[in-house]
Amino acid sequence: MTHDVYAVGNALVDIQTMVADDLLSELKLDKGIMTLVDDEKQATVLSRFDLPSLSRCAGGSAANTIAAVADFGGKAAFVGKIGDDETGQFFLKDLRALGVTIDVDPQPETPSGTCAVLITEDAQRTMLTNLAASTALSEADIDEDVIAASKYVYIEGYLFTGEQTKAAAYKAIELAKKNDVKVAFTASDPFLVNMMKDEMWDLIRGPVDLFFCNEEEAKSLTGLDDPIACANKIHESAENVAMTLGPNGSILMHGGEAIPVEGVKVKAIDTTGAGDMYAGGILYGITNGLDWRQSGHLASHAAARVVAQMGARLAKPFTAEEVKQLTDLTV
């Protein structure tokens, strides 16, 4: 079976809940960012809530994106490591229900990774990530046959926080290049850009065909303040760039051209997964016959729809007719 996108990322089950700002202060959490926590810290935080009543879905940055590709009707595959537990089985069933190809051996005697997403009234999300079994992803889990039958390999930057998962990411990139498959890479988080700036530039100048980032990440990467200047600077090295600007839309760089994409005005409830959903819209579009402007338009509407609800997975996926209407830019 051929795939549009083969994604490599941390396999996490997202657990979302609304909280008051006071709780973040009590737990001494930095609002609006992702923090890595151990098993004990995660258990302490989750013990504050009635878990069965909370929303959960197969998550992690790349998994959210690949779920979006599948939701749009694309052919998608994912590799990430799960534990041999109920949470891991939930992850597999959740992605497979969307039609995503995923075939990994569970890590014995290790809990599956989770991400507690604490959402405040201002729609900011504070994420506590316990990577757990996902850190066991290795080069041996990367499937060359599936990569060779794909149009794009999509790598999440979060993999670069661990040596073994980083090696897996590089293996996927190596096999993609060997088989003439394009590589997309997402910066994932400003702290990652600052942590691995030189390495990220090496990727952009080298194997990466499509680089995803947001405005803050682009500014950290380039040292520039103007978004257009940032996009141009990255495009000097990367063939294609997709840079999100929050409610102001996004900028696509392709073929030396800057393609501005309008934002879609909505009342934001939860910004979790907005960038992941945007990437899913772009990747679906460019692997299914849409041009870059059409893909950007679809991605912008998808990101707007996901921030207007709770959770990183669309409660109401786009119908084929909606996709057709959104990508007919002549009307």
Side-chain angles (χ1 to χ4, degrees):
M1 177 182 179
T2 59
H3 294 92
D4 297 322
V5 187
Y6 174 92
V8 187
N10 289 315
L12 307 172
V13 171
D14 285 345
I15 303 166
Q16 296 112 5
T17 185
M18 297 292 295
V19 301
D21 285 286
D22 291 349
L23 181 62
L24 300 184
S25 300
E26 180 186 337
L27 295 172
K28 296 183 172 60
L29 300 176
D30 293 324
K31 183 178 180 178
I33 69 167
M34 189 280 287
T35 303
L36 292 174
V37 296
D38 59 19
D39 295 351
E40 183 179 358
K41 176 70 172 180
Q42 191 76 313
T44 298
V45 172
L46 293 179
S47 70
R48 306 290 296 262
F49 310 106
D50 177 25
L51 289 182
S53 70
L54 301 184
S55 169
R56 66 176 183 165
C57 67
S61 176
N64 287 337
T65 291
I66 214 66
V69 172
D71 253 348
F72 279 119
K75 297 174 182 176
F78 176 82
V79 62
K81 209 70 169 177
I82 57 169
D84 190 10
D85 57 11
E86 187 277 336
T87 302
Q89 289 305 308
F90 172 84
F91 184 94
L92 291 178
K93 291 177 182 176
D94 198 42
L95 279 190
R96 286 172 177 166
L98 294 174
V100 175
T101 299
I102 175 171
D103 184 19
V104 293
D105 296 322
Q107 189 72 5
E109 300 179 10
T110 308
S112 296
T114 55
C115 181
V117 185
L118 309 181
I119 305 152
T120 42
E121 191 174 350
D122 58 1
Q124 284 289 308
R125 80 281 188 277
T126 302
M127 296 185 291
L128 298 180
T129 301
N130 178 21
L131 294 172
S134 67
T135 62
L137 181 69
S138 70
E139 295 178 58
D141 296 304
I142 305 303
D143 191 326
E144 181 172 4
D145 290 339
V146 180
I147 288 176
S150 301
K151 299 174 185 175
Y152 260 91
V153 164
Y154 180 69
I155 308 290
E156 71 171 67
Y158 288 126
L159 293 175
F160 285 70
T161 59
E163 288 306 312
Q164 185 166 295
T165 52
K166 180 195 289 191
Y170 274 118
K171 185 67 173 181
I173 291 170
E174 173 195 331
L175 293 175
K177 293 288 111 175
K178 174 185 173 183
N179 290 281
D180 295 321
V181 174
K182 291 186 179 295
V183 173
F185 181 87
T186 177
S188 292
D189 197 287
F191 93 88
L192 270 171
V193 175
N194 292 323
M195 181 182 78
M196 54 171 288
K197 187 176 295 185
D198 291 342
E199 189 171 8
M200 197 168 287
W201 272 119
D202 288 341
L203 288 164
I204 293 168
R205 295 185 181 113
V208 170
D209 300 285
L210 168 56
F211 181 68
F212 287 96
C213 61
N214 62 29
E215 184 176 353
E216 186 179 354
E217 291 156 358
K219 288 178 178 178
S220 295
L221 186 63
T222 63
L224 303 174
D225 291 325
D226 180 71
I228 297 289
C230 289
N232 279 319
K233 179 67 175 178
I234 297 169
H235 190 40
E236 289 174 6
S237 300
E239 181 182 358
N240 304 292
V241 181
M243 184 175 75
T244 57
L245 305 171
N248 295 320
S250 61
I251 299 171
L252 296 176
M253 303 296 297
H254 172 69
E257 178 189 4
I259 304 171
V261 179
E262 79 294 344
V264 179
K265 190 172 182 179
V266 294
K267 178 176 173 51
I269 294 174
D270 171 17
T271 56
T272 307
D276 300 333
M277 180 61 65
Y278 179 87
I282 295 290
L283 288 167
Y284 167 78
I286 62 176
T287 58
N288 282 275
L290 302 181
D291 64 27
W292 285 85
R293 190 177 299 278
Q294 290 172 311
S295 300
H297 191 70
L298 178 64
S300 188
H301 279 267
R305 182 174 291 189
V306 84
V307 302
Q309 58 156 61
M310 285 280 287
R313 187 80 58 77
L314 285 176
K316 181 188 174 187
F318 287 81
T319 65
E321 183 59 31
E322 284 179 305
V323 172
K324 182 179 179 182
Q325 289 176 356
L326 284 172
T327 54
D328 183 3
L329 302 184
T330 62
V331 296

